[in-house]
C-alpha cells in the first residue's frame, strides 16, 4: 500500500518564497484585516446549519410528517366512530299529528337527542392492507430523510474541499507573484549593468502582470466556492463570512486499491436510497391487496340510542313535563349490516389494474436504483484509480519542473540561457505546482465520493471517514 503525504510543501523553492512573502507583505496583511462584522463559520457549524436550514431537508421532513399522519389515520379506521345528534324544530300550518292521529293546524315544538356509533367488522382486509401500505411509505420517507441529510452533508463537504483547493491555488499563485517581482528586480539590475538586453525587462514585466492576473482568477474561484457554501447553508448573502476550513495537517492519502465487487456489494447493503425504493415497492404490493378488497363483502355493526320531546306531550297530554317525556320516549337499537358487491361497472377491476401498474413501476424503479447505484460505485472507483495515477504523475512533473526551473535560473544568471527559456521553465513549474495541488484534493475528494456512494459516509464526521450509522 502506497501513501502520499497529503499536506506537504509544494517544493523547497515555494517554501522559501513563502518565507519571503511573509516578511514582504506583513504590513499589507496587517492593513487588510477582516471587518469586525465578519461571521466566522467552522465546518461543524456549517454542517449543523445545513441540516437545520437546507430546504431539501425541510421538504423531506414535511413528507415524513405527512406519512406519519397517514399512518395514524389508517390506525383510526379500526376504531368505531361516535356521534351525538340533536335538533330543535317547530312545525306550523296544517300537519299530521302522530299523537292524535289527525290533521291539525296547531304549532308544535320538537326536541330530539340521539347518539350513534358504528364499527367495521370486515371489509376485505382493506384496512389492514392500507395500514401496511402507509407504514411502508412512512418508513420510506423516514429513510429518504436520512438520505437527504447525507446528501446535504456531502455537498457541504464537497464545497469545503473545493474551498480548500481554491485557497491553496491562491497561495501558490501569490507565491509566484512574489517570485516574479523578485526576478524583475534582479533583471532590472542586470539591465542597468548592461549584462541583459532591455527586452528581458519587458518580458519580466509581462510575466509579472500575467502572474497577477492568474492570482486574481484564483481569488475569483475562491469567492465562487464561498458563494456556493452560502447557497447550500441558506445564509444571508448581504453579510460577510469567513469559513474556517478544518485542519488536515499531517493527514495522508491512502492509495490502496479497492475491490470493485466488494464496493458494489457493500453499497447494496448500506445505500439508503435503495432501502427507500424497496420500501416503496412493498408499499405498492400492499396497494394491490387494498384494491382487491373491493371484491369481498363488507360487514359493519352499528347502534343508536336517543330520546325526544314534543310540546303536545305524550298521548296528547300537554301537561307532561320535559324530563318525563325524555324518560318515556328514550330508546335505541343495534343493527348488523352486510354489503355484497355484485356489479359496480368494472370499477374494482380498474382499481386493481391501476394498483398492479403502480407495483410494476415500483419494481422497475427498484431495478433502476440498483443499476444506478452499481454504476455510481463503478464510476467513483474508476475516478479514484485515475486520481491516484494523476497524483503520481503530478508529483513526478512537479519534481522535474522544479529541477528544470532551478537549472534555467542558474544558466540565466551565468548568461548561458535567454529569458524565453527561463520564462518557460517558471511557467511550467507554476502550472505543475497548481496541478499537483488539484491532484491532491481530487484524490481526497474521490476517496470521500467512494465512501458516499457506498453508503459509509458519516454525517457527523464526513471529513474523517467514520463509518456511517445505519
Amino acid at each position: 500500500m502506497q501513501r502520499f503525504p497529503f499536506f506537504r510543501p509544494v517544493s523547497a523553492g515555494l517554501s522559501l518564497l513563502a518565507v519571503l512573502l511573509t516578511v514582504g507583505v506583513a504590513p499589507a496583511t496587517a492593513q487588510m484585516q477582516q471587518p469586525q462584522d465578519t461571521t466566522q463559520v467552522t465546518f461543524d457549524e456549517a454542517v449543523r446549519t445545513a441540516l437545520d436550514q437546507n430546504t431539501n431537508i425541510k421538504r423531506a421532513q414535511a413528507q415524513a410528517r405527512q406519512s406519519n399522519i397517514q399512518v395514524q389515520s389508517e390506525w383510526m379506521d379500526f376504531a368505531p366512530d361516535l356521534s351525538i345528534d340533536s335538533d330543535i324544530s317547530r312545525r306550523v300550518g296544517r300537519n299530521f299529528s302522530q299523537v292524535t292521529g289527525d290533521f291539525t293546524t296547531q304549532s308544535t315544538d320538537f326536541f330530539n337527542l340521539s347518539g350513534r356509533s358504528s364499527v367495521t367488522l370486515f371489509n376485505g382486509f382493506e384496512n389492514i392492507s392500507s395500514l401496511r401500505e402507509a407504514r411502508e411509505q412512512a418508513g420510506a420517507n423516514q429513510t429518504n430523510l436520512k438520505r437527504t441529510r447525507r446528501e446535504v452533508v456531502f455537498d457541504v463537504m464537497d464545497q469545503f474541499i473545493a474551498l480548500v483547493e481554491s485557497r491553496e491555488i491562491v497561495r501558490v499563485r501569490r507565491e509566484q507573484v512574489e517570485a516574479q517581482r523578485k526576478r524583475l528586480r534582479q533583471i532590472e539590475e542586470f539591465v542597468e549593468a548592461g549584462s541583459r538586453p532591455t527586452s528581458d525587462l519587458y518580458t519580466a514585466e509581462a510575466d509579472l502582470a500575467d502572474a497577477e492576473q492568474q492570482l486574481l482568477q484564483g481569488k475569483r474561484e475562491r469567492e465562487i466556492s464561498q458563494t456556493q457554501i452560502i447557497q447550500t447553508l441558506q445564509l444571508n448573502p448581504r453579510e460577510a463570512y469567513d469559513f474556517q476550513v478544518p485542519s488536515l495537517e499531517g493527514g495522508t492519502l491512502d492509495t490502496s486499491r479497492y475491490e470493485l465487487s466488494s464496493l458494489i456489494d457493500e453499497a447494496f447493503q448500506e445505500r439508503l436510497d435503495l432501502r427507500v425504493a424497496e420500501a416503496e415497492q412493498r408499499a405498492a404490493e400492499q396497494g394491490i391487496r387494498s384494491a382487491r378488497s373491493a371484491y369481498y363483502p363488507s360487514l359493519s355493526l352499528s347502534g343508536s340510542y336517543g330520546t325526544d320531546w314534543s310540546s303536545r306531550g305524550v298521548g296528547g297530554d300537554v301537561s307532561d313535563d320535559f324530563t318525563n317525556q325524555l324518560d318515556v320516549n328514550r330508546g335505541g337499537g343495534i343493527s348488523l349490516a352486510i354489503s355484497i358487491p355484485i356489479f359496480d361497472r368494472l370499477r374494482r377491476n380498474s382499481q386493481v389494474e391501476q394498483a398492479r401498474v403502480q407495483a410494476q413501476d415500483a419494481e422497475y424503479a427498484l431495478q433502476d436504483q440498483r443499476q444506478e447505484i452499481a454504476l455510481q460505485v463503478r464510476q467513483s472507483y474508476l475516478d479514484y484509480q485515475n486520481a491516484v495515477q494523476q497524483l503520481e504523475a503530478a508529483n513526478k512533473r512537479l519534481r522535474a519542473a522544479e529541477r528544470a526551473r532551478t537549472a534555467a535560473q542558474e544558466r540565466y544568471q551565468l548568461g548561458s540561457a535567454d529569458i524565453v527559456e527561463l520564462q518557460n521553465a517558471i511557467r511550467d513549474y507554476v502550472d505543475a505546482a497548481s496541478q499537483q495541488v488539484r491532484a491532491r484534493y481530487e484524490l481526497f475528494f474521490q476517496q470521500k465520493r467512494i465512501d458516499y456512494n457506498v453508503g459509509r459516509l458519516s454525517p457527523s464526521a464526513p471529513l474523517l471517514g467514520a463509518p456511517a450509522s445505519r
Side-chain angles (χ1 to χ4, degrees):
M1 180 176 66
Q2 186 180 6
R3 292 182 178 271
F4 291 101
F6 183 59
F7 277 90
R8 65 180 182 183
V10 175
S11 66
L14 283 183
S15 300
L16 177 60
L17 291 177
V19 175
L20 295 176
L21 175 62
T22 304
V23 177
V25 301
T29 305
Q31 296 176 359
M32 297 176 59
Q33 297 295 332
Q34 295 181 352
Q36 296 181 355
D37 57 350
T38 299
T39 303
Q40 293 187 353
V41 181
T42 65
F43 177 76
D44 293 337
E45 292 173 345
V47 170
R48 289 194 296 267
T49 302
L51 294 177
D52 182 61
Q53 298 188 16
N54 188 267
T55 55
N56 291 333
I57 294 180
K58 291 182 179 180
R59 280 191 288 267
Q61 290 174 341
Q63 291 179 355
R65 289 194 301 269
Q66 183 179 5
S67 61
N68 291 334
I69 294 174
Q70 182 63 29
V71 171
Q72 295 177 0
S73 176
E74 296 298 336
W75 266 115
M76 289 297 99
D77 288 343
F78 291 89
D81 61 357
L82 178 63
S83 64
I84 297 178
D85 301 324
S86 178
D87 66 84
I88 300 176
S89 61
R90 168 173 289 186
R91 294 181 181 178
V92 295
R94 187 176 179 83
N95 58 82
F96 181 79
S97 174
Q98 295 182 353
V99 178
T100 62
D102 195 3
F103 286 94
T104 180
T105 58
Q106 182 180 358
S107 297
T108 307
D109 296 329
F110 294 94
F111 170 75
N112 177 271
L113 177 65
S114 63
R116 301 177 184 276
S117 179
S118 64
V119 60
T120 300
L121 301 179
F122 180 76
N123 61 349
F125 306 105
E126 190 277 336
N127 48 2
I128 298 178
S129 300
S130 297
L131 176 60
R132 291 176 178 175
E133 180 181 1
R135 280 179 170 178
E136 293 291 349
Q137 190 60 49
N141 290 337
Q142 289 291 343
T143 305
N144 182 64
L145 174 58
K146 296 180 181 179
R147 173 65 178 175
T148 305
R149 291 169 64 90
R150 290 189 182 183
E151 289 178 351
V152 172
V153 171
F154 178 77
D155 291 340
V156 174
M157 183 202 68
D158 180 17
Q159 293 165 1
F160 263 81
I161 293 177
L163 178 59
V164 174
E165 177 183 338
S166 62
R167 288 179 176 177
E168 282 289 295
I169 295 297
V170 169
R171 180 184 62 81
V172 171
R173 293 179 180 178
R174 183 181 290 114
E175 292 175 352
Q176 175 60 19
V177 169
E178 294 302 317
Q180 291 288 2
R181 289 175 180 171
K182 181 180 178 181
R183 186 169 67 89
L184 178 60
R185 290 192 295 267
Q186 293 177 346
I187 294 178
E188 287 176 349
E189 296 176 357
F190 290 155
V191 172
E192 291 177 357
S195 60
R196 287 292 182 272
T198 307
S199 60
D200 287 5
L201 179 61
Y202 298 151
T203 302
E205 292 175 349
D207 291 342
L208 176 58
D210 180 70
E212 291 175 344
Q213 183 180 9
Q214 293 297 324
L215 176 59
L216 293 176
Q217 180 64 26
K219 291 181 178 180
R220 179 180 179 275
E221 294 175 356
R222 182 185 61 189
E223 293 301 324
I224 292 176
S225 298
Q226 294 186 156
T227 302
Q228 291 176 347
I229 297 177
I230 293 175
Q231 180 180 2
T232 301
L233 303 185
Q234 297 292 313
L235 299 177
N236 187 358
R238 294 184 176 90
E239 298 182 3
Y241 300 95
D242 178 21
F243 296 101
Q244 302 293 320
V245 179
S247 175
L248 298 177
E249 294 284 347
T252 58
L253 286 174
D254 185 3
T255 59
S256 60
R257 294 185 179 274
Y258 295 100
E259 184 180 355
L260 179 58
S261 179
S262 299
L263 291 175
I264 294 178
D265 293 338
E266 184 179 358
F268 286 160
Q269 294 294 328
E270 300 293 339
R271 284 285 292 263
L272 296 180
D273 48 353
L274 185 59
R275 304 285 85 78
V276 171
E278 291 173 349
E280 291 179 344
Q281 193 270 338
R282 292 193 297 268
E285 291 293 336
Q286 294 297 329
I288 296 178
R289 296 185 178 92
S290 178
R292 287 175 177 172
S293 64
Y295 289 105
Y296 295 91
S298 61
L299 181 65
S300 62
L301 177 67
S302 61
S304 63
Y305 192 84
T307 185
D308 56 49
W309 171 87
S310 173
S311 62
R312 295 189 179 183
V314 178
D317 185 4
V318 296
S319 63
D320 272 346
D321 59 6
F322 182 77
T323 57
N324 182 61
Q325 285 195 45
L326 293 181
D327 180 64
V328 172
N329 294 335
R330 59 189 173 88
I334 187 172
S335 63
L336 185 66
I338 184 171
S339 176
I340 302 177
I342 297 177
F343 180 72
D344 62 350
R345 291 171 292 183
L346 302 180
R347 291 180 180 177
R348 292 170 297 180
N349 295 352
S350 300
Q351 293 175 355
V352 172
E353 188 61 28
Q354 290 176 359
R356 287 176 177 173
V357 171
Q358 293 178 357
Q360 289 179 353
D361 290 341
E363 178 66 26
Y364 297 150
L366 177 59
Q367 296 176 4
D368 292 341
Q369 190 65 47
R370 291 178 61 89
Q371 181 71 4
E372 182 180 356
I373 289 174
L375 292 178
Q376 288 177 352
V377 174
R378 173 184 174 86
Q379 186 61 48
S380 60
Y381 170 79
L382 296 177
D383 291 342
Y384 168 79
Q385 298 295 334
N386 181 264
V388 172
Q389 298 174 3
Q390 290 285 350
L391 181 57
E392 293 175 352
N395 287 333
K396 293 179 181 178
R397 180 189 175 189
L398 179 60
R399 291 191 293 267
E402 183 180 3
R403 291 192 295 266
R405 184 199 61 173
T406 302
Q409 288 176 343
E410 294 176 352
R411 289 197 303 271
Y412 181 78
Q413 292 177 356
L414 296 175
S416 60
D418 56 12
I419 189 64
V420 176
E421 180 180 351
L422 177 60
Q423 181 185 34
N424 292 335
I426 293 177
R427 287 182 177 177
D428 183 67
Y429 171 76
V430 174
D431 183 67
S434 299
Q435 293 301 322
Q436 198 266 355
V437 170
R438 296 185 186 277
R440 289 204 320 267
Y441 285 101
E442 178 65 18
L443 179 57
F444 183 75
F445 172 72
Q446 291 303 331
Q447 283 184 335
K448 296 305 175 182
R449 178 171 285 276
I450 287 181
D451 292 339
Y452 173 73
N453 286 333
V454 169
R456 66 166 77 112
L457 185 68
S458 172
S460 60
L463 287 178
L464 301 180
S469 58
R470 299 185 182 180

mmCIF file of all heavy atoms in Angstrom, residues 12 72 119 201 409 458:
data_model
loop_
_atom_site.group_PDB
_atom_site.id
_atom_site.type_symbol
_atom_site.label_atom_id
_atom_site.label_comp_id
_atom_site.label_asym_id
_atom_site.label_seq_id
_atom_site.Cartn_x
_atom_site.Cartn_y
_atom_site.Cartn_z
ATOM 1 N N ALA A 12 10.664 22.945 -2.164
ATOM 2 C CA ALA A 12 11.548 23.735 -1.310
ATOM 3 C C ALA A 12 11.603 25.172 -1.770
ATOM 4 O O ALA A 12 11.698 26.108 -0.972
ATOM 5 C CB ALA A 12 12.950 23.124 -1.313
ATOM 6 N N GLN A 72 -51.398 7.244 11.284
ATOM 7 C CA GLN A 72 -52.373 7.444 12.346
ATOM 8 C C GLN A 72 -53.804 7.373 11.812
ATOM 9 O O GLN A 72 -54.696 6.808 12.450
ATOM 10 C CB GLN A 72 -52.139 8.793 13.023
ATOM 11 C CG GLN A 72 -50.809 8.891 13.750
ATOM 12 C CD GLN A 72 -50.578 10.269 14.346
ATOM 13 O OE1 GLN A 72 -51.412 11.162 14.212
ATOM 14 N NE2 GLN A 72 -49.444 10.448 15.002
ATOM 15 N N VAL A 119 -68.964 0.418 13.736
ATOM 16 C CA VAL A 119 -67.610 -0.108 13.582
ATOM 17 C C VAL A 119 -67.610 -1.104 12.433
ATOM 18 O O VAL A 119 -68.582 -1.856 12.239
ATOM 19 C CB VAL A 119 -67.126 -0.783 14.894
ATOM 20 C CG1 VAL A 119 -68.023 -1.937 15.273
ATOM 21 C CG2 VAL A 119 -65.678 -1.233 14.764
ATOM 22 N N LEU A 201 13.743 42.881 -19.660
ATOM 23 C CA LEU A 201 12.992 43.619 -18.646
ATOM 24 C C LEU A 201 11.510 43.685 -19.014
ATOM 25 O O LEU A 201 10.641 43.495 -18.163
ATOM 26 C CB LEU A 201 13.570 45.024 -18.492
ATOM 27 C CG LEU A 201 12.867 45.932 -17.480
ATOM 28 C CD1 LEU A 201 12.925 45.331 -16.080
ATOM 29 C CD2 LEU A 201 13.483 47.327 -17.504
ATOM 30 N N GLN A 409 17.330 29.015 -14.043
ATOM 31 C CA GLN A 409 17.733 30.220 -13.324
ATOM 32 C C GLN A 409 19.252 30.331 -13.227
ATOM 33 O O GLN A 409 19.825 31.410 -13.394
ATOM 34 C CB GLN A 409 17.114 30.202 -11.921
ATOM 35 C CG GLN A 409 15.619 30.447 -11.910
ATOM 36 C CD GLN A 409 15.022 30.322 -10.526
ATOM 37 O OE1 GLN A 409 15.628 29.756 -9.616
ATOM 38 N NE2 GLN A 409 13.806 30.838 -10.358
ATOM 39 N N SER A 458 -20.200 9.259 7.087
ATOM 40 C CA SER A 458 -20.884 9.623 8.329
ATOM 41 C C SER A 458 -21.289 11.088 8.294
ATOM 42 O O SER A 458 -20.435 11.955 8.096
ATOM 43 C CB SER A 458 -19.970 9.359 9.525
ATOM 44 O OG SER A 458 -20.540 9.880 10.712
#
